Amino acid sequence: TGTRWVEDRKAEWGEENPLYIAKVLGEFPSDHPWSVVRMTDTYACRLEVPRSAKERMPAELGVDVGGGGDETIIRERNGMVAGREWREHSDKPEKISRLIIHAIKESGATSVKVDSIGIGAGVVGELRNLKELGLHNARIVGVNVSERAANPEKYFNLRSQLWWECGRLAAEDRAMDMSQMDNADATVAQLLETRYEHDIKGRVKIEPKDDIRKRLGRSPDNADALLLAYYTPRSSSTEWFEAILGRS
């Protein structure tokens, strides 16, 4: 029913989330001053625009590995176009890896970026073993977001860099096409909910995942998987966005 839908969105997104205000209340929301990703930018990124073959390459996956009851989320992206999403409710690396192998074969992904904290380290190891056995050919990249950023003078840690460059800047530059993205509303709501601040050194510091979970009762796993899909393990992910937009 309509009432159930509203209650579900209230529980999932939160009444103060800009997406809830827009889609449920029918009002025009204002961007929260400390939101990493802004509503106005996500609106533009969800518009359907014809994409060239160059803009749809390469096919890659981002994996946010669940733990403590959270789901594992696998997100596909084809160049700048966000695509399908796969989910697994398990804390067993071998079971998670089987779903990732399925996603690799379905998507043709050449690279898989995996959150390697906790259970994720076992998933990375399992996927590399399966590659040696010839079960897939994708490059497996373990990403520990608690580690030092490529630009430590600008970002508190790698998580902060990933959210700022692959979230805020990519959305600002329209380098992320979310018009065909699975589970779009839930993912966008999580993007809009996450906050940032500046630390004592003036660096961008993204709100910790545990703080978001305490505030909302859920974790931004879908958004984290999306950003991992767009992350390029170089000195800066913005280099890739510059290239895809024809600015390099």
Side-chain angles (χ1 to χ4, degrees), residues 53-126:
K54 177 185 176 182
E55 291 174 319
R56 291 182 175 272
M57 294 293 291
E60 300 190 352
L61 300 174
V63 183
D64 185 79
V65 179
D70 290 339
E71 278 189 313
T72 289
I73 306 294
I74 305 168
R75 171 65 70 181
E76 170 192 42
R77 66 116 167 152
N78 295 288
M80 65 189 298
V81 182
R84 289 168 288 185
E85 184 181 85
W86 295 264
R87 305 179 190 88
E88 178 65 71
H89 235 311
S90 174
D91 58 1
K92 298 184 183 302
E94 60 275 15
K95 189 170 184 180
I96 295 169
S97 296
R98 284 198 293 270
L99 182 61
I100 295 173
I101 294 294
H102 170 75
I104 290 171
K105 291 180 178 178
E106 286 281 307
S107 64
T110 57
S111 180
V112 182
K113 281 71 63 76
V114 182
D115 161 30
S116 62
I117 296 175
I119 298 168
V123 174
V124 169
E126 182 74 9

Side-chain angles (χ1 to χ4, degrees), residues 192-242:
L192 298 176
E193 191 61 49
T194 303
R195 312 281 190 247
Y196 77 97
E197 63 180 2
H198 293 106
D199 70 2
I200 196 169
K201 295 181 180 180
R203 300 176 298 182
V204 172
K205 182 179 180 181
I206 302 303
E207 180 180 19
K209 207 167 185 176
D210 285 345
D211 289 359
I212 300 171
R213 188 184 287 109
K214 289 175 185 176
R215 189 174 77 245
L216 299 177
R218 57 181 165 75
S219 183
D221 304 314
N222 307 80
D224 281 324
L226 177 70
L227 300 183
L228 282 166
Y230 282 85
Y231 172 61
T232 302
R234 301 179 188 166
S235 59
S236 171
S237 290
T238 52
E239 294 174 12
W240 181 82
F241 294 127
E242 291 292 312

Side-chain angles (χ1 to χ4, degrees), residues 45 49-52 54-57 77 79-81 165 168-177 230 234 237-248:
C45 290
V49 178
R51 299 297 179 190
S52 67
K54 177 185 176 182
E55 291 174 319
R56 291 182 175 272
M57 294 293 291
R77 66 116 167 152
M80 65 189 298
V81 182
E165 293 186 354
R168 188 184 186 98
L169 299 184
E172 279 183 355
D173 284 348
R174 314 298 186 250
M176 182 187 295
D177 183 335
Y230 282 85
R234 301 179 188 166
S237 290
T238 52
E239 294 174 12
W240 181 82
F241 294 127
E242 291 292 312
I244 204 71
L245 292 169
R247 297 175 185 167
S248 62

